[in-house]
């Protein structure tokens, strides 16, 4: 018999977006949170740099907005950008009130009080990145996780993979509007699928960078929320804009370790193996150019010279400064015999952030009533064609609070559904004896996306990728229909859906803009348009 869980709100995802939303709602509703792994195993936990916010008197909302619009290559929605930035200070103050500890300036401000240290990253014209040394995400995630555990109204389900959303249309209920009513989820411990009913569902599942062979993201970033929302009928937008972080550690003894952009903000230089700087040749902002420009420059130099990597060098700065500002990176690299106070860091670009996602408004509402999307899973219009550094955690905070406010405002409007939701049916499937199919297809998918749908694209490469995706899609559809679900199968199924959406969006865009760079259309159109796809097109 399928285990059933009921709550007012179901939050799928346990990073900054999901936990913030839960904490905003916990005094009003019963809440179930699904965490795909342990609470500490998400993109938030590994975020190093910080959170962009207007906190300094020399900075301004207009400046932050302008920088974001420029980095987004004229595709950002200015109203979404302004809404996010205007709420940035309040979001940071809320984190501080919850106990998040940010780095302070070494000296007082003259009034005997220490102010918060603000750093600068690529695309920003001011120092506006508040941080906790070089482990901001860890500090935020740890603090919010501990708070969650103290709330009686919140139940946490760790090691649960969401399988699919439950909607009224899927259940065959008659009515003009589709409604989200919960989700099925795989308990990875028991390997059984359980039913989670809820009046509201919040997707906070993060991005989809695991679709690429090389990524800075943890293993859980497999686009689950995007794929589930798409299958349920939500529109998806701008999936062609995959941000490749310019500087991930290139080393045989290290796995997907990101080297924060804050190093470049504090003066680190990108160099070729012979010690020559190359970024001034590509952009007047050099190392502080937006990420898409820096990543393409590195990719160009690696291919031009036939080298494995380039080098990020901060050794010209004071050793004590480096150790105090970047303790995590210093200690981590020291374990593999790289002393960043003396040695340059070998780096390559890697898939890092999904700028597109499930279409959501400023209240985080999707196309399906009672279904919300917050954080990297959502397309709000904030990031445009290229996300500016440290705007991601800010978006998580601002839109999680917006979703919570909207849900609270609808508290008295929601009637309890009388529909009986069926249990998960495994009566016609069996245990798999061909798991090799999943692992093989997983490997093939990530390779073809890296080779054909990467930093630099062509129409021919995209067409090749599209043909291969269709074959993989058919194999996985048959496999899903015949065998019991597993974590790997669910992730592969979702990644194939996400890959198909990325390719579809990329083929529709007949220009180069921001993170989408194609050799067949090098121009940038005068009018910037989003790429919005629908199952009903």
């Amino acid at each position: 018999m399928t285990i059933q869980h009921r709550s007012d709100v179901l939050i799928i995802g346990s990073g900054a977006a999901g936990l913030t939303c839960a904490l905003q709602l916990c005094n009003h509703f019963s809440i179930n949170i699904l965490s795909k792994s342990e609470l500490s195993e998400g993109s938030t936990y590994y975020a190093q740099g910080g959170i962009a916010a207007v906190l300094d008197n020399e900075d301004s909302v207009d400046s932050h907005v302008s920088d974001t619009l420029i980095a987004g290559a004229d595709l950002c929605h200015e109203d979404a950008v302004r809404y996010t930035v205007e709420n940035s200070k309040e979001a940071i103050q809320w984190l501080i009130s919850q106990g998040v500890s940010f780095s302070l300036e070494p000296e007082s401000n003259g009034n005997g009080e220490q102010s918060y240290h603000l750093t600068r990253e690529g695309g920003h014209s001011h120092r506006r990145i508040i941080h906790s040394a070089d482990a901001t995400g860890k500090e935020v995630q740890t603090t919010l996780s501990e708070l969650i555990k103290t709330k009686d109204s919140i139940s946490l389900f760790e090691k649960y993979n969401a399988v699919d959303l439950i909607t009224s249309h899927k259940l065959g209920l008659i009515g003009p509007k589709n409604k989200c009513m919960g989700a099925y989820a795989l308990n990875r411990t028991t390997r059984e699928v359980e039913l989670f009913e809820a009046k509201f569902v919040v997707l906070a599942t993060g991005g989809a960078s695991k679709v690429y062979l090389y990524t800075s993201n943890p293993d859980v970033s497999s686009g689950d929320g995007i794929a589930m929302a798409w299958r349920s009928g939500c529109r998806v937008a701008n999936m062609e804009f995959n941000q490749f972080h310019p500087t991930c550690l290139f080393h045989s003894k290290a796995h997907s370790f990101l080297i924060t952009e804050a190093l470049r903000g504090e003066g680190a230089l990108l160099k070729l193996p012979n010690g020559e700087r190359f970024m001034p040749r590509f952009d007047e902002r050099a190392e502080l150019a937006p990420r898409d420009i820096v990543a393409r420059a590195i990719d160009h130099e690696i291919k031009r010279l036939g080298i494995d990597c380039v080098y990020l060098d901060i050794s010209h700065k004071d050793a004590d400064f480096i150790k105090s500002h970047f303790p995590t990176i210093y200690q981590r690299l020291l374990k593999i015999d790289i002393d960043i106070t003396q040695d340059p860091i070998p780096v390559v670009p890697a898939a890092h952030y999904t700028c597109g996602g499930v279409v959501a408004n400023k209240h985080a509402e999707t196309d399906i009533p009672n279904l919300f999307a917050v954080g990297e899973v959502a397309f709000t219009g904030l990031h445009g064609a290229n996300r500016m550094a440290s705007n991601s955690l800010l978006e998580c905070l601002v839109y999680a609070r917006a979703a919570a406010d909207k849900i609270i405002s609808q508290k008295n409007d929601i009637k309890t559904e009388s529909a009986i939701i069926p249990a998960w049916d495994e009566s016609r499937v069996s245990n798999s004896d061909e798991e090799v199919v999943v692992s093989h297809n997983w490997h093939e998918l990530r390779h073809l996306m890296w080779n054909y749908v990467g930093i630099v694209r062509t129409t021919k490469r995209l067409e090749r990728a599209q043909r291969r995706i269709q074959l993989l899609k058919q194999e996985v559809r048959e496999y899903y229909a015949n065998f019991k679900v597993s974590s790997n199968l669910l992730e592969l199924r979702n990644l194939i859906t996400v890959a198909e959406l990325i390719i579809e969006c990329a083929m529709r865009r007949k220009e180069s803009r921001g993170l989408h760079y194609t050799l067949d259309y090098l121009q940038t159109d005068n009018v910037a348009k989003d790429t919005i796809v629908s199952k009903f097109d």
Side-chain angles (χ1 to χ4, degrees), residues 101-151:
S101 178
F102 292 110
S103 296
L104 298 169
E105 290 283 6
E107 299 177 357
S108 68
N109 58 15
N111 297 322
E113 298 178 356
Q114 283 184 291
S115 57
Y116 290 106
H117 180 267
L118 303 177
T119 191
R120 184 182 173 191
E121 296 180 354
H124 292 274
S125 58
H126 290 82
R127 285 181 171 269
R128 63 168 67 101
I129 315 301
I130 190 169
H131 61 101
S132 181
D134 59 348
T136 307
K138 181 179 180 180
E139 171 65 18
V140 171
Q141 182 73 23
T142 302
T143 302
L144 299 186
S145 296
E146 290 304 313
L147 285 171
I148 287 289
K149 295 173 184 177
T150 69
K151 306 298 183 182

Side-chain angles (χ1 to χ4, degrees), residues 220-281:
V220 295
S221 300
S222 51
D224 303 334
I226 297 171
M228 289 190 298
W230 172 257
R231 288 194 292 268
S232 297
C234 289
R235 290 172 300 156
V236 170
N238 286 9
M239 291 297 293
E240 69 270 39
F241 298 116
N242 308 99
Q243 186 175 80
F244 290 80
H245 196 287
T247 55
C248 286
L249 179 64
F250 180 77
H251 198 282
S252 60
K253 296 181 181 179
H255 173 69
S256 303
F257 185 63
L258 182 147
I259 306 298
T260 175
E261 191 162 335
L263 262 84
R264 283 179 282 136
E266 295 297 341
L269 304 174
L270 283 164
K271 297 180 179 180
L272 299 175
N274 64 2
E276 174 194 346
R277 284 183 71 193
F278 59 90
M279 276 310 304
R281 289 193 275 112

Side-chain angles (χ1 to χ4, degrees), residues 256-311:
S256 303
F257 185 63
L258 182 147
I259 306 298
T260 175
E261 191 162 335
L263 262 84
R264 283 179 282 136
E266 295 297 341
L269 304 174
L270 283 164
K271 297 180 179 180
L272 299 175
N274 64 2
E276 174 194 346
R277 284 183 71 193
F278 59 90
M279 276 310 304
R281 289 193 275 112
F282 290 88
D283 194 281
E284 62 182 11
R285 292 164 290 186
E287 281 79 7
L288 290 178
R291 289 178 177 176
D292 58 327
I293 295 172
V294 179
R296 276 201 303 275
I298 295 173
D299 183 69
H300 178 272
E301 292 300 287
I302 287 175
K303 290 176 178 175
R304 179 178 73 87
L305 297 172
I307 54 180
D308 292 326
C309 63
V310 297
Y311 294 86

Side-chain angles (χ1 to χ4, degrees), residues 435-477:
E435 192 69 20
V436 67
V437 174
V438 175
S439 60
H440 175 79
N441 287 356
W442 185 289
H443 186 71
E444 182 179 347
L445 172 68
R446 298 180 75 197
H447 269 86
L448 76 86
M449 288 297 291
W450 184 262
N451 292 328
Y452 298 148
V453 199
I455 296 173
V456 177
R457 301 163 178 173
T458 67
T459 301
K460 184 176 289 186
R461 291 175 192 169
L462 293 174
E463 289 172 346
R464 286 172 178 166
Q466 190 175 52
R467 288 194 296 269
R468 284 161 172 77
I469 289 293
Q470 292 307 311
L471 295 174
L472 292 175
K473 184 179 178 181
Q474 181 59 34
E475 285 188 15
V476 170
R477 182 186 291 122

Side-chain angles (χ1 to χ4, degrees), residues 204-225:
T205 52
S209 287
K210 198 176 176 181
V211 76
Y212 286 99
L213 182 62
Y214 301 112
T215 175
S216 66
N217 286 193
D219 286 342
V220 295
S221 300
S222 51
D224 303 334

